[in-house]
Amino acid sequence: MPDQAQANYEVYVARHQEEMEREHRGKIVLMHEGEIVGIYNDDGDAYEIGCDKYGLGNFSAILIGANPIDLGILALSFD
C-alpha cells in the first residue's frame, strides 16, 4: 500500500492538478486521505495545520504548479 504522501499525490494529479494549477498556482494544497482539506499561501502554515489536525505523516502539502520532490511525509515541490 502506498504511503500517505504518495497516495495523496496520485489523487492530486489524477483529479485536481489541472484545476489547481489554473486557479491556485503557487499556493500549497493540504491533503489528507486523498481529499483536499485546505489551500494555503505558505508551506509553513500548511505543515503546521497538517500536523495539528492529522499528525505527522498523515497528510501531504503539495506546491501547486511545480515538479514534485519526494520529501517523505511532505510532497512539496519547487521549480
Side-chain angles (χ1 to χ4, degrees):
M1 175 192 298
D3 65 14
Q4 184 78 216
Q6 181 65 35
N8 286 336
Y9 187 73
E10 289 173 5
V11 170
Y12 170 78
V13 170
R15 297 184 188 163
H16 305 292
Q17 185 174 16
E18 185 177 320
E19 177 185 356
M20 291 292 109
E21 288 183 3
R22 186 174 55 249
E23 297 180 14
H24 303 287
R25 183 174 284 278
K27 295 189 178 188
I28 308 296
V29 64
L30 179 63
M31 295 188 69
H32 172 69
E33 295 185 354
E35 298 292 326
I36 292 175
V37 295
I39 299 172
Y40 301 91
N41 292 321
D42 181 86
D43 59 348
D45 291 342
Y47 179 79
E48 184 176 327
I49 290 166
C51 284
D52 289 347
K53 284 188 170 185
Y54 309 110
L56 192 60
N58 294 312
F59 67 91
S60 300
I62 302 167
L63 178 59
I64 300 168
N67 297 324
I69 297 172
D70 184 2
L71 298 176
I73 60 166
L74 296 176
L76 294 175
S77 51
F78 302 92
D79 279 321

